[in-house]
Amino acid sequence: MTYSTDIAKTDSLIRSHEGTWDGISAEAVARMRAQNRFRTGLDIARYTAKIMRQDMAAYDADPAHYTQSLGCWHGFIAQQNMIAVKKHFGSTKGRYLYLSGWMIAALRSDFGPLPDQSMHEKTSVPALIEEIYTFLKQADAREIGMLFRDLDAARAAGDEVRAAKLQHDIDSYETHIVPIIADIDAGFGNAEATYLLAKKMIEAGACALQIENQVSDEKQCGHQDGKVTVPHEDFLAKIRACRYAFLELGVDDGIIVARTDSLGAGLTKQIAFSREPGDLGDQYNAFLDCEEIADIAQANGDVIINRGGKLMRPKRLPSNLYQFRPGTGPDRCVVDCITSLQNGADLLWIETEKPHIEQIASMVDRIRAVIPNAKLAYNNSPSFNWTLNFRQQVFDAWQQAGKDVSAYDRPRLMSVDYDESELAIEADERIRTFQRDASARAGIFHHLITLPTYHTAALSTDNLAREYFGEAGMLGYVKHVQREEIRQGIACVKHQNMSGSDIGDDHKEYFAGEAALKAGGAHNTMNQFAA
């Protein structure tokens, strides 16, 4: 429905109430509706799921159409992220948001900062999704509100051409609402707990849920040690729980991202149940590190399994966990991925220990031999030392090619001494093109950085504190923050406007007319930033 059509329809409704609604402006109602396109989180989930499905199809046709996101720990950070995307690129297409369980644990728990071990309140996850979309909807309301003010000014000036253009801009307005890929960890419990939390996350607006195959009660950050995986059937039950939640709520094309930590996880809590040789349970158990038992009397209190007609004792640690054979991570990872896609997952997430395209591709090639359109969401993680990793990759490539690397000390390649070197320049170029190259070679549909705004907040605050509390004093803020906001056109320099002051003034005028006491008058100091 266009803006003018909505005005006409609302005017007819007001007239039907025989004068009792005459204090209501049809145009004001149409404006408020335009500023609140998404009524519920489910409206958002359905809208954004379609976007992701379209983007996935575009990637299948051409891997140059990969997508990206940044992790955000607050609605305001997400809002400023998408405002910046629209400002710099003119469109949000192909740009999403990522909601990181790590950042919720570290920054949003009532317990205070926590490690990424599923100890934070599970309700904080849907709460952050709802918060992010509240801020994104407010960004829409603010921008559209400014279009309405421009429209009023064009009308007052009698500029019909500009007024028509502004009405077209209102009708064709692109929202800040984008897909969120939301981290549900390992489901915070059994499959029923996973289902209940998934429903809350979807109702808050999430169209894509990322779930991992670790045990819930021993869950670890993917870049820490001590990870413990679960048998395939346990993980598939949770994938199905997420799908049931999507379908129950009418988000028929919701996306499930199946994350495997098997590459770095050498432990399991359970021996899988197996009905017959070669089934999923048997495949899982085949990776267990076992020793043959010649005398059953040696196995007092132990679990014994049959492997090829031999009695085998899985190696059990004092923690009562079983360990996998060393070096089986890639094979286990490939089986995890294929099994997940064959049982309802849409995207894969392989947690690696370094950003190495060929390492990722070596597994994706094997997965795609079974499922040709398999594709990944990949964590461009701040847990990787990108500078050191890529300088070492270049060093190794040069050495293998017979190039002289005697000027470089491989363990010290992070040193500033090498920053202007030929090796460092090539490494930086590889980092710059990593997403493009990995999408073409290793099947990565979506690139995300889990914790970027955690680090940017720390870095910018450190820089400001050094200046403001030092000799620079107030100049430290003015020169490096406010002046840069003005020069770079950062909308937040008008913080009253960003927080909704002008939207509130518009509403006051709708509700009270000339009697409205508005904040945006001549004496509002925000007017100092008008130019």
Side-chain angles (χ1 to χ4, degrees):
M1 184 185 301
T2 66
Y3 177 54
S4 56
T5 302
D6 197 14
I7 293 172
K9 183 177 179 181
T10 306
D11 184 63
S12 178
L13 174 63
I14 291 170
R15 292 177 184 275
S16 72
H17 285 264
E18 300 178 349
T20 59
W21 285 17
D22 283 359
I24 302 295
S25 162
E27 184 157 21
V29 172
R31 291 184 174 191
M32 294 173 79
R33 285 175 175 166
Q35 290 172 293
N36 186 26
R37 173 180 170 185
F38 299 96
R39 307 293 194 266
T40 70
L42 286 176
D43 291 336
I44 291 171
R46 295 184 187 109
Y47 169 78
T48 53
K50 287 183 173 56
I51 291 174
M52 277 197 72
R53 292 289 178 180
Q54 290 166 358
D55 288 347
M56 289 160 68
Y59 174 82
D60 286 340
D62 181 355
H65 298 306
Y66 60 87
T67 56
Q68 301 165 288
S69 66
L70 294 175
C72 297
W73 52 272
H74 192 280
F76 175 73
I77 301 298
Q79 179 197 64
Q80 295 305 302
N81 180 6
M82 298 321 299
I83 286 175
V85 166
K86 284 192 71 176
K87 181 182 79 171
H88 292 297
F89 304 103
S91 172
T92 61
K93 183 171 176 54
R95 281 93 178 190
Y96 305 164
L97 292 167
Y98 179 69
L99 184 145
S100 162
W102 192 101
M103 283 211 283
I104 291 178
L107 298 171
R108 302 301 300 263
S109 172
D110 287 344
F111 294 108
L114 293 171
D116 182 21
Q117 296 172 355
S118 288
M119 294 190 291
H120 56 279
E121 309 86 345
K122 65 174 70 176
T123 52
S124 59
V125 185
L128 180 53
I129 297 169
E130 183 176 9
E131 176 182 291
I132 286 173
Y133 280 126
T134 297
F135 273 81
L136 294 183
K137 289 195 291 182
Q138 195 264 3
D140 283 355
R142 171 186 164 274
E143 276 197 3
I144 297 173
M146 291 191 292
L147 290 174
F148 289 142
R149 289 177 175 232
D150 290 344
L151 177 61
D152 290 341
R155 288 173 175 172
D159 191 341
E160 295 181 5
V161 173
R162 176 158 173 74
K165 181 186 181 303
L166 286 164
Q167 285 202 200
H168 174 269
D169 291 344
I170 293 164
D171 290 337
S172 59
Y173 179 81
E174 182 185 72
T175 177
H176 291 85
I177 299 293
V178 297
I180 286 178
I181 297 176
D183 186 357
I184 197 172
D185 278 23
F188 287 84
N190 62 14
E192 173 69 5
T194 302
Y195 155 78
L196 293 171
L197 179 56
K199 280 183 63 178
K200 288 293 186 184
M201 294 170 69
I202 297 163
E203 288 169 340
C207 73
L209 304 178
Q210 169 224 319
I211 186 164
E212 60 206 58
N213 69 337
Q214 291 192 46
V215 293
S216 294
D217 56 339
E218 299 280 0
K219 180 260 189 299
Q220 294 276 20
C221 171
H223 291 279
Q224 293 181 325
D225 204 356
K227 294 181 289 296
V228 183
T229 63
V230 298
H232 294 98
E233 290 293 357
D234 293 37
F235 187 50
L236 297 181
K238 293 185 177 183
I239 288 176
R240 285 191 289 270
C242 292
R243 182 63 64 202
Y244 272 108
F246 275 123
L247 294 174
E248 178 184 342
L249 296 172
V251 185
D252 295 348
D253 48 2
I255 289 90
I256 298 172
V257 183
R259 168 178 151 179
T260 173
D261 282 295
S262 291
L263 198 61
L267 303 171
T268 184
K269 206 168 193 177
Q270 300 164 260
I271 295 176
F273 176 73
S274 173
R275 293 179 177 84
E276 59 186 36
D279 65 10
L280 279 178
D282 191 44
Q283 291 179 55
Y284 190 79
N285 294 338
F287 293 116
L288 291 170
D289 194 2
C290 300
E291 57 186 359
E292 186 176 356
I293 296 294
D295 182 0
I296 196 68
Q298 300 174 0
N300 183 51
D302 280 325
V303 173
I304 305 299
I305 64 174
N306 173 19
R307 180 180 289 172
K310 297 179 180 179
L311 292 179
M312 307 293 290
R313 176 170 56 192
K315 292 184 179 178
R316 186 161 56 177
L317 306 179
S319 60
N320 206 31
L321 299 171
Y322 298 94
Q323 68 183 42
F324 292 110
R325 297 195 315 277
T328 61
D331 291 339
R332 287 184 282 121
C333 186
V334 169
V335 174
D336 293 343
C337 291
I338 292 172
T339 302
S340 296
L341 291 176
Q342 288 174 332
N343 288 272
D346 302 289
L347 293 172
L348 302 171
W349 175 313
I350 299 174
E351 195 71 73
T352 64
E353 81 284 0
K354 59 180 177 292
H356 194 291
I357 292 175
E358 286 306 316
Q359 180 198 32
I360 304 164
S362 67
M363 291 177 285
V364 172
D365 288 346
R366 295 170 62 190
I367 298 164
R368 284 186 159 181
V370 180
I371 303 172
N373 69 338
K375 44 193 168 290
L376 278 64
Y378 185 73
N379 178 9
N380 293 214
S381 177
S383 294
F384 303 142
N385 184 332
W386 286 77
T387 301
L388 180 61
N389 264 294
F390 275 82
R391 288 181 181 181
Q392 289 181 340
Q393 287 179 37
V394 172
F395 180 96
D396 294 342
W398 283 7
Q399 189 175 59
Q400 187 175 4
K403 189 169 182 176
D404 182 13
V405 292
S406 59
Y408 302 99
D409 181 357
R410 191 179 187 279
R412 291 188 58 255
L413 286 175
M414 182 67 203
S415 171
V416 67
D417 298 340
Y418 296 115
D419 280 359
E420 303 304 320
S421 69
E422 181 187 0
L423 184 145
I425 292 169
E426 180 171 330
D428 281 356
E429 179 62 12
R430 290 193 184 196
I431 294 171
R432 187 186 72 82
T433 64
F434 173 80
Q435 294 187 339
R436 182 193 69 196
D437 297 340
S439 291
R441 172 68 184 96
I444 299 176
F445 158 73
H446 185 75
H447 287 275
L448 60 99
I449 308 178
T450 43
L451 320 175
T453 52
Y454 177 91
H455 291 280
T456 56
L459 179 62
S460 61
T461 302
D462 181 276
N463 291 337
L464 175 60
R466 183 188 69 239
E467 294 284 318
Y468 177 73
F469 294 109
E471 288 298 316
M474 193 58 197
L475 183 61
Y477 173 79
V478 172
K479 183 177 180 180
H480 298 296
V481 180
Q482 188 181 79
R483 192 176 296 166
E484 287 303 308
E485 286 182 303
I486 295 169
R487 298 284 188 261
Q488 296 181 40
I490 305 298
C492 209
V493 72
K494 297 183 180 181
H495 49 258
Q496 308 285 13
N497 168 267
M498 183 59 67
S499 69
S501 178
D502 287 343
I503 295 172
D505 276 359
D506 291 340
H507 291 172
K508 291 174 185 177
E509 190 169 356
Y510 300 161
F511 305 154
E514 293 182 355
L517 182 63
K518 296 193 286 187
H523 297 293
N524 188 317
T525 58
M526 192 172 67
N527 293 326
Q528 296 173 23
F529 301 97

